[in-house]
Amino acid sequence: MRNMIYKARQKTGLVRHLFLFVSLASTSAVVAQPPPVNQPRPAPIMSRWEKQVTADNAWREYPRPQMARQQWQNLNGMWDYAITSKTAPAPTTYQGQILVPFAVESTLSKVTKSLTADQRLWYRKAISIPKEWGGQRVLVHFGAVDYECNLWVNGGLAGSHTGGSDSFSFDVTDFLKEGKNELVLGVLDPTSSGEQPRGKQLMNPQSIWYTPVSGIWQTVWLEPVPRQTYIEEVRLTPELDSGRVRVEALLDKPANNYTTAIRITALDGSQTVATTLVRAGRTAYLPISNPKLWSPDSPFLYNYKVELVTITDPFGDTPRNRRPRQDEALRTAYANATVTGTPLDAVTGYFAMRKISVGPGPVPNQPVLLLNNKFVFQNGPLDQGWWPAGLLTPPSEEGMAFEIDFLKKSGFNMLRKHIKVEPERYYYLCDKMGILVWQDMPSGFLEGQNESPGDQSEPIRRSKGKEQFELELRRMMNRLHNHPSIVTWVVHNEGWGQYDNERLAAWVKALDPSRTVNAASGWNDRNAGDFYDIHTYQEEPNAPEPKKDRVVVIGEFGGIGWPIEGHLWNPAMRNWGYQTYHSADTVLAAYKKKYAKIVDYYQKQALSAAVYTQTTDVEGEVNGLLTYDREVIKIPIETLRQIHAPLFK
């Protein structure tokens, strides 16, 4: 019956997208009695970067470029693994080896097995702590583990974490001994039998839903930090109109004295442009004279250095109850204080001077997106970030850079990172190479916790589910706050687990007023956030209606499918697009037709942005500008650039 409805209405992109949504609903509706799990198979196609991955070269780059220290140890490589019942104790023998940081289902992991909700995945790794780290505390960092995990160090429980896209760390100092140490990590992952944020993972992947990802899927690493106290977090927020950058440097515990201070230095290359001292636990402001602005056309990055220092008490013997309380008096006193000795801790990173906002545009009463106080159309693809052999884990920095470079050369200045959080080095490349990012929050829901287009009310969610979604949303925002490329937070995608949309949009805006908020990309608008966002997969995209109080954008359109023999995930299945063609000429004609409407809406109706589906093919989807293995560019780069050029005049 669904097939008959689908064929009868295939001219309408909304119904076409809804059909795919219903496919998930019918799958998740039988969670109580799940069908047999499809075991993942080795990737039938691979990108050139995936073919180059080995245990010795898997993700060797420093994983946290926004807050770097000199000393660290990479733990990526071969670990022991085992899969047991989730009720079983830790194994005494292991089944083989797995290549970290690739998920157990992936080909690059060298395992390629499913993990079901009633199983636990175990990892084991022997480590040694360098002698030069003596006298310091040792942190173990995980870029991301999907979904719930516990870490034992030499048999002692060192920490637990829940959240599939979050970076986290444990202080393991007290568990360590001389010589060899044993790390054991146990992981549970309900995938689509739970309502946790998981993006497009489905136990039995189909249509727009992909192979699950379980366990470690981003870099694992060790870092020594000073024993007494250390810099745990640095938050930088450019305030372009004030010509300054706000800096919040936070220690691992409060400093309840007047002699612990933070010295902050901004640099243009190696040349100091501003420096100040501030009392630990207080906000600092660095003036940036004649700032060099960051944009996709000129992605200039300043460097910074934050040091934990000791100063002479700026108030001498003055009793505490007689010391100044005014912020300006405190700021002046500390800025003029004298540093004694050498820094106790130091981290380096970068920031940019850029502003994203909403303001008046060329059409009266229709606000537009402004970059550095100017209207700049945001043209980008829907970017899923999946790879045939690595799944959610990119194969290398070179592979990620290739995609961003392709998009830039093709006339895109933005991408929408679709319900996935990338490794931090991905956003570093976006910052460095210059591309705007709309960052989606990964969705998660079960049948009954979703909406359909046109629904007037939102399903209610359990407190437990809301608490976890909002915790992970806030973690994502905190972790990625410093990246200038990220200009928009997308709270909900379509009706996928959408709830309390107005409240969440206001909450996100309050947490980060320096960025715009897209409350709901597509489907059911709740008059929230900065955007009115429609999805339109018709052969000629529809225009969003004008809005006096919000920008208007097309958050998804396009979906031109072209299955190319020799580059398909599964040639035996239906490889689909929203409209499917079979030659370069018909694909190009369809693309020109769609973008002609986008240009028209931009020129006449002050459309602020458009998101084309999509960067690459993904498993059974063939909507990509690139094939899934990134080997075939379906429309030449220069042709794409010419088609997009009118959007930047």
Side-chain angles (χ1 to χ4, degrees), residues 433-472:
M433 298 172 71
I435 195 163
L436 305 170
V437 176
W438 294 9
Q439 179 60 52
D440 287 15
M441 172 61 192
S443 57
F445 61 95
L446 293 173
E447 172 64 3
Q449 297 173 330
N450 46 41
E451 297 181 46
S452 296
D455 283 358
Q456 295 299 302
S457 62
E458 298 170 325
I460 58 176
R461 295 287 296 271
R462 297 187 306 156
S463 296
K464 181 179 179 181
K466 292 197 294 184
E467 289 162 6
Q468 188 63 34
F469 180 88
E470 291 166 38
L471 174 62
E472 293 188 45

Side-chain angles (χ1 to χ4, degrees), residues 589-604:
Y591 194 88
K592 287 181 174 179
K593 186 176 184 180
K594 289 177 185 290
Y595 259 95
K597 300 301 290 186
I598 300 299
V599 171
D600 184 61
Y601 301 151
Y602 157 66
Q603 293 175 340
K604 297 178 182 177

Side-chain angles (χ1 to χ4, degrees), residues 115-117 146-148 188-196 198 203 214:
L115 184 73
T116 59
D146 197 350
Y147 178 68
E148 178 184 345
L188 296 172
D189 185 12
T191 308
S192 48
S193 64
E195 64 181 88
Q196 80 287 350
R198 63 182 180 276
M203 287 305 297
S214 301

Side-chain angles (χ1 to χ4, degrees), residues 407-572:
L407 294 174
K408 291 262 299 178
K409 289 177 178 176
S410 299
F412 294 104
N413 63 353
M414 174 267 282
L415 62 85
R416 179 182 167 202
K417 183 50 63 177
H418 192 38
I419 54 176
K420 179 204 175 180
V421 181
E422 292 280 2
E424 201 161 341
R425 291 199 70 90
Y426 179 89
Y427 302 99
Y428 162 70
L429 289 175
C430 292
D431 298 337
K432 182 181 176 181
M433 298 172 71
I435 195 163
L436 305 170
V437 176
W438 294 9
Q439 179 60 52
D440 287 15
M441 172 61 192
S443 57
F445 61 95
L446 293 173
E447 172 64 3
Q449 297 173 330
N450 46 41
E451 297 181 46
S452 296
D455 283 358
Q456 295 299 302
S457 62
E458 298 170 325
I460 58 176
R461 295 287 296 271
R462 297 187 306 156
S463 296
K464 181 179 179 181
K466 292 197 294 184
E467 289 162 6
Q468 188 63 34
F469 180 88
E470 291 166 38
L471 174 62
E472 293 188 45
L473 172 57
R474 185 161 189 165
R475 285 173 177 166
M476 179 185 76
M477 294 174 62
N478 287 342
R479 170 190 166 192
L480 301 179
H481 178 84
N482 290 351
H483 291 284
S485 58
I486 298 178
V487 292
T488 294
W489 302 116
V490 182
V491 180
H492 286 131
N493 177 67
E494 298 179 339
W496 301 0
Q498 181 174 324
Y499 75 94
D500 292 359
N501 189 247
E502 295 171 76
R503 175 181 68 82
L504 288 177
W507 180 64
V508 168
K509 191 71 172 184
L511 287 174
D512 186 7
S514 73
R515 291 180 170 90
T516 52
V517 177
N518 189 345
S521 184
W523 290 16
N524 299 324
D525 179 66
R526 305 295 177 193
N527 299 306
D530 298 308
F531 288 50
Y532 175 61
D533 179 331
I534 69 166
H535 293 180
T536 168
Y537 282 103
Q538 290 78 6
E539 292 183 9
E540 288 192 346
N542 294 328
E545 61 186 80
K547 297 288 179 181
K548 293 182 179 181
D549 58 344
R550 289 180 291 163
V551 304
V552 293
V553 305
I554 295 177
E556 291 182 27
F557 81 104
I560 298 170
W562 182 13
I564 297 182
E565 187 176 350
H567 301 274
L568 299 176
W569 176 253
N570 184 353

Side-chain angles (χ1 to χ4, degrees), residues 284-302:
Y285 295 92
L286 277 180
I288 308 296
S289 301
N290 302 312
K292 298 178 181 179
L293 304 186
W294 184 98
S295 71
D297 292 332
S298 180
F300 181 82
L301 299 175
Y302 290 92

